[in-house]
């Protein structure tokens, strides 16, 4: 990737903080905490959604949030600081991927919910993390072949499916949370609508910093209003300890079951595409050449963090795209700022009272913020699909039929509940799983194994940023988008810095993606 001149900051001066510069401690602390603010809502919303769906107690939910933040901090330090050939050494924040939300809920509920469901989830997460870590050490040829399964028509479809499938999760929270005695009460929708309106107003103002923390401010504002009206209860905050240590296997020994493991492996394949896109995006922003080894190091960090997450009572990890957008907006490129953010997250993960405050956010407020985030995930997928020639019937079929498969579990739940083996149902009763699998299979059937998919660039370690090749005069028009693969994934993240969760997705502005 050709180096570019350092971009101008808001003051019109060139940035003086290159990627490997260690800033003075006050600046590290300030910029690092800003990353935490931009990241925090996306970081905690996954354990809240999963824990709520599995029926965890408030005490268990508080522990889950603490474990997530603690592990996020460790994972971000590994990715940004680097340990040997693990970690991209780029300003990439690691967070729980939104890609895994729906599959984890399906796995947990299939195992009976509660902590019993968590143990099956953790067994699948640990296995998938180890598999991802091992995959990133494969020879370039094998690496290239597998990643060719994910051209833009597949990644765009998967990200779109992810957003569409997660939107009902946000809407259920907006209605008060499934299973709550007052589910559907108009007051919940009032809180959700007010939170969404506040977030949209902040986004309309167009201030970069406000954009980056609009979700967090929406949660804070909505909760404050609910508290004044007597609908936000903070009684559990006083009962929580000031200091709490995250211990391995807190809920018990993980359980390793075949179908949940397969499902989580599919999730990790998708997150690898997210991380690949974010790595290229942030590399372009900081002016650093990205080659196959850099991407492989980023994926190894994902795998190591995911396996660690399963051990420390957390979930799969991916590079968060919203923080990539924050790097672009602030022009602060130093990877050590992310290391500082990791330290802040570890400290927050040791304070149960902070997690108890988050756990007290009313369902309506959470649903309003989550719906906005999930809708932006779907938008990121649509942006990626915009780079695909959908006038070509083969590509249109891949997208359309995959979306139909993704809607099957929500539309005909009786098929999975009453007419399918329990293990098979836990694997297939997920719109993300069915949609992603359909996209991969249909793309192979109609388009074959493309020669210019993301992995082509990854394995061949290009010296310059991947660029679309001009179509040859006699080349079929439908083939042109394939050359854009890596750019297609990264571009979604770079063009819409606030449009992610997570992809993730996370996902953050999933490009990835997710951010999930």
């Amino acid at each position: 990737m050709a180096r570019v001149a350092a971009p101008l900051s808001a003051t019109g001066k060139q940035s003086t903080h290159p990627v490997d510069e260690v800033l003075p401690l006050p600046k590290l602390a300030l910029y690092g905490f800003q990353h935490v603010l931009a990241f925090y809502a996306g970081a905690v919303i996954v354990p809240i959604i999963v824990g709520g769906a599995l029926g965890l107690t408030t005490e268990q939910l508080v522990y889950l949030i603490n474990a997530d933040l603690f592990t996020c901090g460790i994972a971000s330090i590994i990715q940004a600081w680097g340990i040997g050939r693990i970690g991209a050494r780029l300003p990439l924040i690691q967070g729980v991927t939104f890609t895994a939300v729906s599959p984890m809920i399906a796995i947990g509920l299939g195992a009976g919910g509660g902590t019993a469901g968590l143990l099956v989830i953790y067994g699948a997460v640990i296995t998938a993390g180890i598999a991802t870590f091992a995959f990133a050490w494969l020879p370039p040829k094998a690496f290239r072949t597998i990643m060719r399964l994910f051209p833009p028509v597949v990644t765009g479809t998967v990200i779109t499916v992810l957003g569409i499938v997660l939107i009902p999760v946000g809407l259920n929270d907006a209605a008060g949370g499934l299973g709550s005695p007052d589910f559907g009460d108009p007051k919940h929708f009032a809180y959700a609508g007010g939170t969404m309106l506040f977030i949209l107003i902040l986004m309309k103002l167009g201030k970069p910093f406000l954009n980056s923390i609009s979700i967090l401010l929406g949660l804070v504002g909505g909760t404050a209003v609910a508290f004044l009206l007597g609908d936000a209860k903070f009684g559990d905050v006083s009962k929580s300890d000031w200091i709490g240590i995250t211990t391995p296997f807190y809920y018990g020994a993980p359980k390793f079951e075949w179908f949940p493991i397969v499902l989580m492996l599919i999730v990790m394949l998708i997150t690898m595409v997210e991380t690949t896109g974010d790595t290229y995006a942030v590399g372009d922003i900081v002016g650093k050449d990205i080659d196959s080894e850099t991407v492989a190091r980023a994926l190894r960090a994902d795998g190591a963090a995911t396996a660690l997450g399963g051990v420390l009572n957390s979930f799969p990890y991916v590079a968060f795209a919203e923080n990539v957008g924050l790097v672009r907006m602030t022009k602060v490129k130093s990877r050590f700022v992310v290391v500082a953010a990791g330290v802040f997250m570890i400290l927050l993960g040791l304070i149960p009272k902070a997690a108890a405050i988050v756990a007290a956010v009313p369902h309506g407020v959470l649903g309003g913020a989550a719906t906005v985030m999930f809708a932006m995930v779907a938008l990121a997928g649509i942006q990626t699909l915009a780079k695909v020639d959908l006038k070509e019937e083969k590509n249109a079929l891949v997208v359309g039929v995959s979306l139909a498969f993704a809607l099957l579990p929500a539309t005909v739940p009786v098929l999975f509940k009453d007419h399918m083996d329990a293990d098979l149902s836990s694997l297939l009763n997920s719109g993300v799983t069915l949609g992603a699998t359909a996209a991969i299979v249909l793309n192979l059937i109609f388009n074959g194994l493309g020669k210019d998919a993301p992995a082509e660039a990854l394995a061949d370690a290009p010296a310059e940023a991947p660029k679309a090749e001009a179509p040859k005069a006699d080349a079929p028009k439908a083939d042109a988008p394939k050359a854009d693969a890596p750019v297609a994934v990264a571009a979604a993240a770079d063009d819409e810095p606030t449009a992610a969760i997570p992809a993730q997705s996370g996902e953050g502005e999933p490009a990835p993606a997710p951010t999930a």
Side-chain angles (χ1 to χ4, degrees), residues 152-235:
V153 68
V154 173
T155 57
T157 301
V158 170
I159 298 167
T160 304
V161 163
L162 175 62
I164 290 174
V165 168
L166 286 177
I167 286 174
V169 176
L171 293 176
N172 281 327
D173 268 323
L178 283 175
S180 64
D182 58 351
F183 182 76
D185 190 311
K187 73 176 181 181
H188 297 305
F189 288 108
Y191 286 131
T195 301
M196 291 178 66
L197 179 61
F198 184 45
I199 292 172
L200 293 175
I201 290 174
L202 292 175
M203 300 285 286
K204 175 64 176 176
L205 293 176
K207 304 296 184 182
F209 183 64
L210 285 180
N211 282 357
S212 68
I213 62 171
S214 59
I215 297 295
L216 179 65
L217 293 179
L219 290 172
V220 172
T223 303
V225 172
F227 177 74
L228 293 175
L229 297 178
D231 290 319
K233 311 296 183 182
F234 292 94

Side-chain angles (χ1 to χ4, degrees), residues 331-376:
K331 308 299 185 291
V332 179
K333 307 173 186 178
S334 172
R335 60 190 173 99
F336 296 102
V337 168
V338 169
V339 174
V343 173
F344 277 121
M345 285 187 282
I346 290 174
L347 294 176
L348 286 172
L350 296 174
I351 305 175
K353 280 191 182 296
I357 293 173
V358 174
V361 174
H363 278 286
V365 174
L366 178 64
T371 300
V372 173
M373 293 167 63
F374 296 154
M376 296 308 288

Side-chain angles (χ1 to χ4, degrees), residues 98-103 152-169 266 270 274 373-385 397-410 428-440 442 501 504-505 510-514 516:
F98 278 82
T99 308
V101 169
S102 182
V153 68
V154 173
T155 57
T157 301
V158 170
I159 298 167
T160 304
V161 163
L162 175 62
I164 290 174
V165 168
L166 286 177
I167 286 174
V169 176
I266 294 173
I270 298 169
E274 296 183 39
M373 293 167 63
F374 296 154
M376 296 308 288
V377 174
L379 175 62
I382 294 171
Q383 288 174 326
T384 301
L385 288 175
L397 283 172
V398 171
V399 177
V401 176
S402 299
L403 290 174
F405 270 93
L407 294 174
L408 183 60
L428 298 180
N429 191 14
S430 164
V432 176
T433 303
L434 288 181
T437 303
I440 293 171
L442 290 171
I501 319 196
Q504 210 112 46
S505 10

Side-chain angles (χ1 to χ4, degrees), residues 32-337:
F33 191 67
Q34 180 175 247
H35 268 286
V36 174
L37 289 178
F39 160 88
Y40 194 83
V44 301
I45 203 169
V46 172
I48 290 175
I49 291 174
V50 174
L54 298 187
L56 299 184
T57 66
T58 300
E59 181 182 356
Q60 291 169 334
L61 185 58
V62 166
Y63 192 92
L64 205 62
I65 294 170
N66 274 97
D68 176 31
L69 288 171
F70 184 80
T71 314
C72 280
I74 297 174
S76 297
I77 292 173
I78 292 174
Q79 186 71 276
W81 184 286
I83 300 175
R85 296 177 66 189
I86 303 171
R89 291 177 171 81
L90 292 169
L92 288 168
I93 288 277
Q94 297 291 105
V96 174
T97 173
F98 278 82
T99 308
V101 169
S102 182
M104 287 193 300
I105 291 174
I107 292 172
L109 293 178
T115 56
L118 282 178
L119 296 181
V120 178
I121 290 173
Y122 292 147
V125 168
I126 292 171
T127 306
I130 294 172
T132 302
F133 185 79
F135 167 78
W137 293 93
L138 285 176
K141 185 176 181 180
F143 189 74
R144 176 174 63 244
T145 300
I146 294 177
M147 293 302 290
R148 279 178 179 169
L149 294 172
F150 301 99
V153 68
V154 173
T155 57
T157 301
V158 170
I159 298 167
T160 304
V161 163
L162 175 62
I164 290 174
V165 168
L166 286 177
I167 286 174
V169 176
L171 293 176
N172 281 327
D173 268 323
L178 283 175
S180 64
D182 58 351
F183 182 76
D185 190 311
K187 73 176 181 181
H188 297 305
F189 288 108
Y191 286 131
T195 301
M196 291 178 66
L197 179 61
F198 184 45
I199 292 172
L200 293 175
I201 290 174
L202 292 175
M203 300 285 286
K204 175 64 176 176
L205 293 176
K207 304 296 184 182
F209 183 64
L210 285 180
N211 282 357
S212 68
I213 62 171
S214 59
I215 297 295
L216 179 65
L217 293 179
L219 290 172
V220 172
T223 303
V225 172
F227 177 74
L228 293 175
L229 297 178
D231 290 319
K233 311 296 183 182
F234 292 94
D236 289 317
V237 176
S238 61
K239 301 175 185 177
S240 300
D241 297 327
W242 278 104
I243 302 296
I245 305 298
T246 297
T247 57
F249 307 121
Y250 175 79
Y251 298 103
K255 295 182 180 179
F256 299 89
E257 298 184 5
W258 174 252
F259 282 110
I261 288 174
V262 172
L263 182 55
M264 201 55 62
L265 288 173
I266 294 173
V267 168
M268 292 308 294
L269 281 173
I270 298 169
T271 63
M272 284 192 287
V273 180
E274 296 183 39
T275 293
T276 298
D278 285 340
T279 303
Y280 273 109
V282 80
D284 185 50
I285 293 167
V286 304
K288 185 171 182 179
D289 295 340
I290 301 300
D291 55 20
S292 61
E293 175 59 19
T294 303
V295 175
R297 290 202 310 265
L299 295 178
R300 290 167 200 152
D302 273 7
T306 297
L308 181 65
V311 172
L312 293 180
N313 320 291
S314 191
F315 304 117
Y317 284 86
V318 69
F320 252 40
E322 60 261 66
N323 291 86
V324 174
L326 185 59
V327 173
R328 187 183 71 172
M329 288 186 291
T330 63
K331 308 299 185 291
V332 179
K333 307 173 186 178
S334 172
R335 60 190 173 99
F336 296 102
V337 168

